[in-house]
Amino acid sequence: MKTRREVIKTVALAGTLAIAPSLVQAQNSGATIDTSVYPLKVPPLGYPFDALEPYIDARTMELHHDKHNGAYVDNLNKAVAQGPDPIQKMTVEELLRNLDSIPENIRTAVRNNGGGQYNHSFFWKLLKKNNGAQPSGDLAKAVDQTFGSYSTFQDKLSEAAIKLFGSGWAWLVLDGDKLEITTTPNQDAVISRLTKKEHPIIGIDVWEHAYYLKYQNRRAEYVKAFWNVINWDYASEQYAAAGKAA
Ligand code: MN3
């Protein structure tokens, strides 16, 4: 039996067939972050721009959400509009999991802007002031088992975020059944790495646009503040969903 990836590849290359809705819904069931299809829109923030003050300021959130995410969406729509019909029916997740089947003339644009849309769709939901709370339940247990303690985990993810050269993301992912800390450059999404089965649990956006207005060059201060705006309920939901899909 063909894997879903092979099916999509075949369909995309055929160039004329639409992907059946049943196939779309079968995608990594339970762990889907973004099921929207062309024409894409900026996902709603879900809270006021100033909801994360003083850790992330309102002006940064407004520009980040409306302008930066907005540009990724505009550019993704422009790229997808040039692609064959099946590509216009693929979700952002499907596009990113099948980059090698995207026509070459739009592949880089889909990678960068599709990754931008996917990563930010996740990021807006991950953010919520937590009053210093820590993870609980199964996620807390897994963090302790994997890293030894919550504070060791904090140190390691913070270090990955601070040391990442240039623009990109630091992640806590579930890769199969293992929690791991990893990074991606630019707007690359972990789900595009086909040798792994990574699903994001936490993602720290370390592009300067995420922090420069308030923290200027002090990325470490932003990363320290970030621990106060992790929505642990959302992270736990992603952990549970990714575990079921693995
Ligand atoms: Mn960003």
Side-chain angles (χ1 to χ4, degrees), residues 64 68-69 72 116 120 123-124 168-169 187 205-207 209-210:
H64 197 175
H68 290 277
N69 198 164
Y72 297 129
H120 288 87
F123 191 68
W124 309 132
W169 293 72
Q187 290 297 353
D205 183 348
V206 295
W207 281 61
H209 68 223

Side-chain angles (χ1 to χ4, degrees), residues 159-198:
E159 187 185 9
I162 292 163
K163 284 191 174 169
L164 176 60
F165 184 75
S167 298
W169 293 72
W171 302 98
L172 174 71
V173 297
L174 189 67
D175 182 10
D177 59 1
K178 268 176 35 196
L179 278 184
E180 282 175 5
I181 287 167
T182 189
T183 62
T184 53
N186 307 312
Q187 290 297 353
D188 285 3
V190 292
I191 58 170
S192 296
R193 299 198 285 211
L194 302 180
T195 55
K196 295 172 171 257
K197 286 187 173 174
E198 296 167 300

Side-chain angles (χ1 to χ4, degrees), residues 128-134 150 226-232:
K128 186 183 181 185
K129 261 204 284 197
N130 65 23
N131 300 312
Q134 297 184 9
Y150 178 68
F226 194 83
W227 293 97
N228 295 289
V229 292
I230 295 173
N231 181 343
W232 288 114

